Amino acid sequence: MMDDAPSPRESARTSRAWALAGLAAIVLAWQLTAQRLGPLLMATPLDALRAIGPLLDSGRFFPAAAASLMRAAIGISLGCTCGFALGLLAAHSPRLRGALEPLRWLLMAIPSVVVVLLAMLWFGLGSAMVIFLAALMTAPGLYVNTVKGMAQVDRQLLEMTHVYRFGFWLRLRHLYVPALTAPLSAALLIAVNGGVRLVVMAEVLGADSGVGHALANARATFDSSELYAWVLMILAFVGLLELALIQPLQRRLGRWQEVRHA
């Protein structure tokens, strides 16, 4: 029998078409819901788009966006670095892995809002609280995926690195990172998207600046158009971050597979 499976190019076109259809369905649902609730509770998509221009011209957007971007970059970077490093160490030490398991479970089970309230008590309002929350809540995902990925490393290849006396950095570059390509790619995507959401949530609940603080102000003044304009800008930023940073990084991590199968 002939294989009727679509080509990769046809699959990509089909995926894009259905993605556009899904986006259109979301916008339509937003429009219908906004019409039902009224402008006080929910702005229409067109009203939100119209509010973006005045928001950019107001002088409040760029300082707030810069503050949130700085907090997200520091917090997510710290969380990912700590999670990855602890995952590598725990993969080589069953004792450390067992000792970290209760903390891993606690951080993944506790609601984020509870951590926000505790961080507000410990650090007060401001950047330290937001960065702490982002780092603390993104680390477990990288840790779990690193430990799981290390468990799948080919033992024969690992033994060969010891035979040829590879140092830690050579093993990390030529064995561990290629073996962790798939789990790390997924974990990074989740960490970045989830980290941005955590930063905005923390700013809404307990910060005196940033995008979340601006969202809280728009909510307090019942300015639904500006509130949803901020939401659209956040979504645009996350989409740009994924296209400009995460996807190129995923392709770079996956190059070893192309080389290996060439």
Side-chain angles (χ1 to χ4, degrees):
M1 293 181 61
M2 296 183 62
D3 188 4
D4 295 329
S7 66
R9 182 173 298 180
E10 292 174 346
S11 298
R13 284 199 299 265
T14 302
S15 179
R16 286 194 293 268
W18 279 101
L20 291 174
L23 178 61
I26 292 174
V27 173
L28 178 60
W30 178 3
Q31 176 69 31
L32 295 176
T33 305
Q35 290 177 347
R36 183 176 182 84
L37 294 178
L40 186 63
L41 298 179
M42 179 178 286
T44 64
L46 184 58
D47 289 337
L49 288 173
R50 286 172 175 169
I52 291 178
L55 178 61
L56 294 175
D57 294 334
S58 66
R60 293 179 287 113
F61 174 79
F62 291 103
S68 297
L69 179 60
M70 181 271 294
R71 293 163 178 164
I74 296 175
I76 295 172
S77 298
L78 285 175
C80 291
T81 301
C82 292
F84 179 67
L86 289 174
L88 287 178
L89 294 174
H92 289 90
S93 173
R95 294 180 179 178
L96 178 61
R97 186 163 64 249
L100 291 176
E101 185 62 19
L103 179 60
R104 190 279 310 166
W105 177 85
L106 178 65
L107 293 178
M108 298 187 77
I110 190 170
S112 300
V113 66
V114 175
V115 183
V116 172
L117 295 176
L118 293 175
M120 289 170 60
L121 293 175
W122 298 337
F123 298 99
L125 303 181
S127 297
M129 180 272 293
V130 179
I131 293 172
F132 171 79
L133 175 73
L136 191 68
M137 301 306 287
T138 55
L142 263 293
Y143 170 81
V144 170
N145 280 274
T146 301
V147 171
K148 297 296 183 182
M150 289 290 290
Q152 305 300 319
V153 173
D154 192 324
R155 297 296 113 182
Q156 293 182 346
L157 292 178
L158 183 59
E159 291 176 2
M160 287 180 61
T161 61
H162 288 291
V163 169
Y164 287 100
R165 298 182 180 180
F166 276 28
F168 172 76
W169 293 111
L170 282 177
R171 288 200 301 272
L172 178 65
R173 179 179 177 182
H174 296 289
L175 178 62
Y176 296 150
V177 171
L180 294 171
T181 295
L184 282 184
S185 297
L188 284 173
L189 181 61
I190 295 171
V192 170
N193 291 337
V196 172
R197 290 199 304 268
L198 287 168
V199 166
V200 173
M201 181 187 70
E203 290 175 342
V204 168
L205 295 176
D208 53 4
S209 62
V211 172
H213 180 68
L215 280 172
N217 289 337
R219 179 197 60 189
T221 58
F222 295 98
D223 191 346
S224 62
S225 295
E226 181 175 319
L227 189 151
Y228 282 92
W230 276 110
V231 171
L232 290 178
M233 297 303 291
I234 294 170
L235 294 176
F237 168 73
V238 173
L240 180 63
L241 191 63
E242 182 174 337
L243 290 174
L245 179 62
I246 302 301
Q247 290 187 6
L249 182 59
Q250 289 176 336
R251 288 193 293 269
R252 184 175 180 84
L253 288 174
R255 283 179 184 173
W256 71 278
Q257 293 178 328
E258 299 176 3
V259 174
R260 188 183 66 175
H261 293 298

